[in-house]
Amino acid sequence: MQSNFVDYVKIHCKSGHGGAGSASLHREKYIDKGGPDGGDGGRGGHIILRGNSNLWTLLEFKFKKHFRAEHGGRGGKSRSTGHDGEDIILNVPIGVIARGEEGEILGEITEDGQEMILKRGGKGGLGNWHFRSATRQTPRYAQPGLDGDEGWVTLELKVLADVGLVGFPNAGKSTLLSVLSAAKPKIADYAFTTLTPNLGIVEYRNHQSFIMADIPGIIEGAAEGKGLGHRFLRHIERNSTLLFLIPADADDYAKEYDILLNELKKFNPELLDKERVLAITKSDMLDDELKAEISSQLPKDIETLFISSVAHQGLTELKDALWKKLID
């Protein structure tokens, strides 16, 4: 399933041209000089993004990148309006940002069913019926339809989750997610096991729940593109609370935390405004004396817990701490 996760695509969109207006003159038996009766052209079809909460990837757009909407129909006699061009609906996951060719943000999809017009269809031309006057009773011209719009659009998916897991490779993020939720991320003891974000629903007290995201591991220099680079750092932007994970067998706990924090700051300083919790993982190997020694090395401005996903230690306290951050 991981190989099917696509979070960045470029697509080419072309909306439909507007239909031409009609320059028809009314013709009917026994009626001489019936006058102009040309109808308007129909508008061209739009290219529309629509949010769909059942989707989690942009995989569809990896194989089809060109989308062309239908042109509007020509106006007809008897003031009949041409048909509107059929719209093209592109269903995307919640959390997608659309960017134009210069990188500017065109809009974002944050709700199920939300729609956004990427490329607007051309307006239909007016028929000669609109151009009649006392001095111009039989105008024989009508407007052409306006051209549609076309260009490349970048779709960028940022995972929506309540809690984002932040840590170096092998910090225990995937293991924690697999224990707290029904998610089944790939787990192995080598770096960069997680190559794509994984989401899991964590059940809490009184039938409440929150969404947790396992973000691929950060390394020093990730904001400059090292390792998996900043491609995955953007997913952290959509998490309301960040859970930092540092393994109990780390060489320098404070240094690891500072490196993680610095990478987030270099990528987007606003990430430091998010709520944060620090968990020391794999702590089933620690006794109380070691925990006290580690605590003395850790920053005092962040709540810290000792947990073990394998031994199921400290997980209830961790969920309590995260829930408190989410509702504050």
Side-chain angles (χ1 to χ4, degrees):
M1 177 178 288
Q2 290 192 10
S3 62
N4 289 338
F5 183 83
V6 176
D7 61 352
Y8 185 92
V9 294
K10 289 185 73 173
I11 59 175
H12 188 268
C13 301
K14 185 173 183 179
S15 60
H17 301 324
S22 170
S24 169
L25 296 175
H26 185 69
R27 294 288 184 267
E28 189 174 346
K29 193 175 182 180
Y30 306 123
I31 297 180
D32 187 30
K33 297 181 180 180
D37 72 346
D40 302 339
R43 72 156 174 84
H46 301 319
I47 305 289
I48 299 174
L49 279 189
R50 177 185 292 163
N52 187 327
S53 58
N54 294 320
L55 299 177
W56 63 282
T57 176
L58 296 171
L59 178 66
E60 173 189 348
F61 305 102
K62 184 176 180 180
F63 305 105
K64 183 178 180 182
K65 296 182 178 292
H66 294 266
F67 299 90
R68 183 191 297 261
E70 184 183 25
H71 298 321
R74 298 178 63 89
K77 61 183 180 179
S78 302
R79 285 185 259 168
S80 60
T81 302
H83 71 275
D84 290 342
E86 185 176 355
D87 298 331
I88 297 291
I89 306 293
L90 306 179
N91 288 292
V92 296
I94 311 302
V96 161
I97 291 177
R99 296 182 182 271
E101 295 185 359
E102 302 299 322
E104 73 280 12
I105 294 179
L106 304 176
E108 57 184 311
I109 299 295
T110 58
E111 298 178 1
D112 185 50
Q114 177 188 346
E115 292 188 351
M116 182 183 82
I117 298 177
L118 278 184
K119 299 294 180 183
R120 189 174 295 276
K123 185 178 180 182
L126 297 177
N128 64 348
W129 163 258
H130 294 276
F131 303 110
R132 72 197 189 286
S133 67
T135 58
R136 191 190 312 143
Q137 297 184 357
T138 56
R140 298 177 182 274
Y141 61 87
Q143 289 180 333
L146 298 180
D147 290 341
D149 191 11
E150 69 174 303
W152 288 92
V153 175
T154 299
L155 301 181
E156 179 182 297
L157 172 61
K158 294 184 181 181
V159 170
L160 288 167
D162 298 305
V163 177
L165 303 182
V166 181
F168 287 101
N170 288 354
K173 302 186 299 299
S174 297
T175 304
L176 178 62
L177 185 67
S178 69
V179 171
L180 291 183
S181 75
K184 302 300 178 188
K186 183 178 180 181
I187 300 172
D189 52 358
Y190 55 85
F192 301 121
T193 303
T194 303
L195 299 179
T196 63
N198 292 295
L199 294 178
I201 298 176
V202 179
E203 294 185 358
Y204 190 59
R205 307 173 193 271
N206 302 320
H207 306 290
Q208 299 175 110
S209 64
F210 57 88
I211 298 175
M212 179 176 283
D214 170 20
I215 308 297
I218 298 173
I219 66 169
E220 191 168 9
E224 286 83 37
K226 292 184 180 179
L228 296 177
H230 60 249
R231 174 182 170 192
F232 296 115
L233 282 174
R234 69 170 174 266
H235 293 295
I236 298 173
E237 291 181 307
R238 288 288 178 86
N239 306 146
S240 60
T241 297
L242 303 180
L243 173 58
F244 289 76
L245 300 182
I246 297 176
D249 55 2
D251 294 328
D252 189 326
Y253 307 98
K255 182 179 179 181
E256 284 206 10
Y257 176 71
D258 287 341
I259 292 174
L260 293 171
L261 210 58
N262 191 46
E263 291 304 318
L264 299 186
K265 180 180 179 180
K266 286 190 290 186
F267 178 71
N268 182 352
E270 294 181 4
L271 292 175
L272 302 189
D273 296 331
K274 294 182 179 293
E275 296 285 353
R276 302 195 294 266
V277 175
L278 173 60
I280 305 300
T281 64
K282 309 174 186 178
S283 62
D284 50 309
M285 65 179 74
L286 304 175
D287 56 24
D288 291 340
E289 184 177 346
L290 281 173
K291 290 180 181 179
E293 182 180 338
I294 293 172
S295 295
S296 67
Q297 304 175 31
L298 298 173
K300 306 303 180 186
D301 61 345
I302 183 172
E303 183 176 2
T304 304
L305 299 97
F306 290 86
I307 67 169
S308 171
S309 301
V310 175
H312 289 244
Q313 293 178 2
L315 300 185
T316 299
E317 293 79 2
L318 176 63
K319 289 196 286 185
D320 287 341
L322 293 173
W323 185 259
K324 188 173 185 299
K325 294 290 186 184
L326 293 174
I327 63 174
D328 281 349

